[in-house]
Structure formats: structure tokens, C-alpha cells
Amino acid sequence: MTWKNTKMRLISLDVFRGIAIAAMILVNNPGSWGYMYPVLQHAEWDGCTPTDVVFPSFLLIMGVAIAFSLSKFAREHRLPGEKVPPSVYSRIGRRCLLLFLLGLFLNGFPHYDLANIRIMGVLQRIAIAYGLTAIAILNLSRRQLWLISILTLIGYWVAMTIIPVPSYGPGNLSPEGNLGAFIDQTILGSHHLWRGGPYDPEGLFSTAPATVTVILGYLTGEWLKSQPRNSFTVINLVMFALSSLVVGYLWGVWFPINKALWTSSFVLVTAGWGLLLLAFCYGVIEVKNWRRWGKPLEIMGVNAIFLFVASGLLARILIRIPVGSGPVSPNLKTWIYENIFVSWAGPLNGSLMYAVATVIFWWAIAYIMYNRRWFLKV
């Protein structure tokens, strides 16, 4: 990790990333998991709620950012015979390793039971998807990237619906019987999956279509770089987003939209919604030059990974600090929720207010870092 000043090429990217990280903190930190508005919950299995769009949007914007950070090394932009410097691959490898280790750090904190620690997770998926995308853009043309993305989504659909799983047969998309769960159990072991199995929402096999989400972001970023910053560009981006939504929802008839499985239809639907939000940010900030409203979100966006890790760490600390010495003493998080928020807002609204307060707290931290020009890059 390094602390340094950075200058973003598109402020709308940081604003979009800020929206994503603020939403991540909001949905990950309710006062009580038993009291949450449906809009802030993931779909129980099939389906897609606004909360289900948050993580894919983060991956999408990561792909857009790659178009600015690694573009000069991409195959499309290198001279014939020019090779990628080994230092670029080393940098990619270090970033992937650090992100993966940060994910393991959060999964195991504070008691690192290596025999049962969850191996995959949000940061681990980011690490793998980033690494695969970076390697792909360094070695494949834009046309090949489109082709491999299409083949991956179709291949994933075929594999999940055709390949039989022992004891369940082919086409079983239940939590226990889907092919991805079988692969994760076989390679990682059930004791290393989310909540001890039977599946992991950030599993190995489903990381393949998740990587397509990042590639779609990269291709969008490459396209944006070649376009004038005007309303016509925004309209084209909206049209592509709507096309992705239509195809995704139609595909969902045969291959259900499902975040835990990261189905091909889920990739297209969430990409569509994410691109619509990107079009809004791009149009308002880059085209209309209305930037003041997005400043609070930009402040969070420039330190997104730090905020995700730090907020996750603090949440884990709060639930491990007891208040009182009795046998049923609440932890500090529960005490704060019940005595500060439930007392005046009730359980449901109090749970929401706790989450909102958590976002405000981390925004204040991000504001201090922004004013000091501390940008934590992984």
C-alpha cells in the first residue's frame, strides 16, 4: 500500500465508486440483521434487489478505471512487437495478492482458525477478477475481449445447466445442488465456504462470469476515452445499458437472475443498471459540469478499498466487545443499537438509522483523509 496524491481523469468515476462503497457500508451494517427494509436485503435466491446491484457495480467501475490505469500497456495500444514490461505483471500480482490477503484477514479476524477459515469473499473475488481482467487486456485485442466475454457467459450457462452434479443431476440450481457449489466443495471443502457451506456466494466457479463484469467495465472505459464529452455519448451509453437489461431479463427466463450463482443473466442485468448509473454520473458531472453535489461521494470513492476494509474490521470489533459482566450481556454494537437508535426510532427504523450513522462516520474519516491528501492505493 502507498499513500500519495493522485489525479483522477474522470471525477464521475470516483463519484460512482463513492456511491458503491457508501451502499456497501449501508447494507453491511444494519443495527440488526433481523430488522431490515427489503430494498436493503439481497434476494433470498433467485431475483435481483437494488442491494444485489451494489457489488457488481463496484466491479464494473473497477473495470472502467483499468481502462485509464493500464490502457497504455494494453495490446490494442502497444506497437507491433512491443512487450509488456515485467514490472507491470509484478504490480498486478502484488495488488491481487494484497487484496486476497486482506480478504482472508477480515474473514478470520480475530481468531484465525485456518482449518475452517472462509477462503473466498468480496476482496478475494475482486483480486481474482482484477488479475484475470488485467492479464486479458494485456494479451488480447478488444474484439477478442468481447468474444471471450460472450463465450464465458454462454459457457457458464451451458455448464451450470448441462453438467450433472453427483446426487443431484444436471441443471440443478439450488444452493446445495448447483455445479458451482460442487466445485467449491471439491476444491475448497465445505468448511472453507461461506457459513460452512453448502455454497459460497463468492465461489471459485462463479468468479468466471464475475470477471466478465469487470471486462465489460474496461470495454466501457475504453469506449468512453474515445468519445467526446457530450450528450450524444450519454445517450449511447444509456442505449447500451438498456440493451444489456433487455437481454439479461430475457435470458433470465431460462437462466434465472441470481447473485449467489452470478448467473450470466445476472451479469447483464446488473451491468445494465450499473451503466445507467454511470451514464447519469458522467452526464451530470462530465457533460453538464455540475460537480458540487458529487463531492461527498467523490471523497468516499477515492479511498473505497480502505473504507471497505476498515468498516468491516470495526464491525467485527464492536460485536466482540461485551457491555457488562452478566451471562447475557449484549455486545457493544447491540448496546448502541438498542439504547441510542431503537429507543427513539423503533427496531426497523433504528436499524436503518444505525446503518446511516455508520456511513456518516466513515464519510467523516474519508473527509479527513481527503483534506490531508491521503489516498490509500492497493
Side-chain angles (χ1 to χ4, degrees):
M1 296 184 186
T2 57
W3 295 82
K4 61 181 181 179
N5 292 327
T6 55
K7 182 178 180 181
M8 300 302 296
R9 293 174 176 84
L10 288 177
I11 294 176
S12 54
L13 299 187
D14 281 331
V15 172
F16 187 10
R17 192 185 296 109
I19 293 172
I21 192 61
M24 277 182 162
I25 295 174
L26 183 74
V27 301
N28 288 339
N29 293 275
S32 170
W33 291 102
Y35 292 97
M36 294 179 66
Y37 283 99
V39 71
L40 298 178
Q41 299 182 45
H42 291 291
E44 290 189 12
W45 191 243
D46 291 340
C48 184
T49 71
T51 296
D52 291 323
V53 179
V54 174
F55 186 26
S57 293
F58 192 88
L59 293 181
L60 187 76
I61 202 64
M62 180 173 71
V64 178
I66 291 174
F68 292 89
S69 62
L70 287 179
S71 179
K72 66 179 180 179
F73 301 110
R75 177 175 168 178
E76 291 278 352
H77 302 298
R78 298 200 309 269
L79 297 174
E82 185 181 4
K83 294 184 179 180
V84 179
S87 60
V88 175
Y89 285 107
S90 297
R91 191 174 71 207
I92 293 169
R94 285 196 300 269
R95 188 182 192 201
C96 293
L97 179 61
L98 185 54
L99 283 169
F100 201 97
L101 291 177
L102 281 172
L104 288 177
F105 169 73
L106 282 179
N107 285 355
F109 183 86
H111 306 296
Y112 293 92
D113 179 8
L114 298 184
N116 296 289
I117 190 172
R118 182 190 177 196
I119 294 177
M120 296 298 290
V122 169
L123 290 174
Q124 294 90 319
R125 170 156 287 181
I126 291 175
I128 296 173
Y130 168 80
L132 291 175
T133 299
I135 292 172
I137 69 172
L138 295 178
N139 295 278
L140 300 176
S141 67
R142 212 171 299 170
R143 180 177 296 179
Q144 290 171 326
L145 288 173
W146 277 112
L147 180 61
I148 197 171
S149 297
I150 294 171
L151 291 178
T152 298
L153 294 182
I154 294 176
Y156 185 70
W157 175 35
V158 171
M160 291 289 284
T161 54
I162 296 299
I163 298 177
V165 174
S167 302
Y168 293 94
N172 190 313
L173 299 179
S174 67
E176 303 83 5
N178 72 84
L179 178 63
F182 173 73
I183 292 175
D184 289 336
Q185 291 174 27
T186 302
I187 296 177
L188 302 176
S190 295
H191 50 292
H192 289 301
L193 303 183
W194 180 66
R195 296 181 178 177
Y199 73 97
D200 197 306
E202 282 83 39
L204 289 173
F205 193 43
S206 58
T207 298
T211 301
V212 174
T213 300
V214 184
I215 293 176
L216 290 176
Y218 169 78
L219 292 169
T220 300
E222 280 290 288
W223 177 78
L224 282 175
K225 285 167 56 181
S226 65
Q227 302 301 307
R229 299 187 185 184
N230 57 28
S231 298
F232 188 68
T233 298
V234 177
I235 292 172
N236 282 334
L237 188 56
V238 169
M239 294 303 295
F240 182 78
L242 293 176
S243 299
S244 183
L245 284 170
V246 170
V247 175
Y249 279 116
L250 286 175
W251 202 343
V253 175
W254 297 277
F255 195 22
I257 300 166
N258 186 299
K259 178 187 179 296
L261 301 179
W262 213 279
T263 54
S264 305
S265 57
F266 178 79
V267 171
L268 295 180
V269 166
T270 54
W273 287 117
L275 290 174
L276 283 178
L277 182 55
L278 174 60
F280 170 79
C281 294
Y282 184 89
V284 172
I285 294 173
E286 311 298 344
V287 177
K288 296 295 185 181
N289 203 32
W290 297 340
R291 300 187 173 187
R292 183 173 298 180
W293 71 273
K295 195 65 178 182
L297 296 164
E298 179 191 351
I299 287 171
M300 297 192 77
V302 295
N303 276 307
I305 293 295
F306 166 79
L307 294 175
F308 180 82
V309 174
S311 62
L313 184 61
L314 180 60
R316 287 161 172 79
I317 291 174
L318 290 177
I319 63 175
R320 286 171 172 83
I321 298 177
V323 177
S325 56
V328 291
S329 298
N331 58 55
L332 183 54
K333 175 191 173 179
T334 300
W335 187 92
I336 294 173
Y337 162 62
E338 293 180 346
N339 289 273
I340 297 179
F341 295 97
V342 174
S343 60
W344 63 273
L348 182 60
N349 289 325
S351 183
L352 175 60
M353 290 301 101
Y354 180 96
V356 171
T358 301
V359 175
I360 294 173
F361 171 81
W362 286 111
W363 180 87
I365 299 297
Y367 178 77
I368 294 172
M369 295 174 65
Y370 187 89
N371 279 345
R372 293 175 180 248
R373 313 307 293 171
W374 290 348
F375 304 128
L376 183 57
K377 296 297 177 183
V378 177

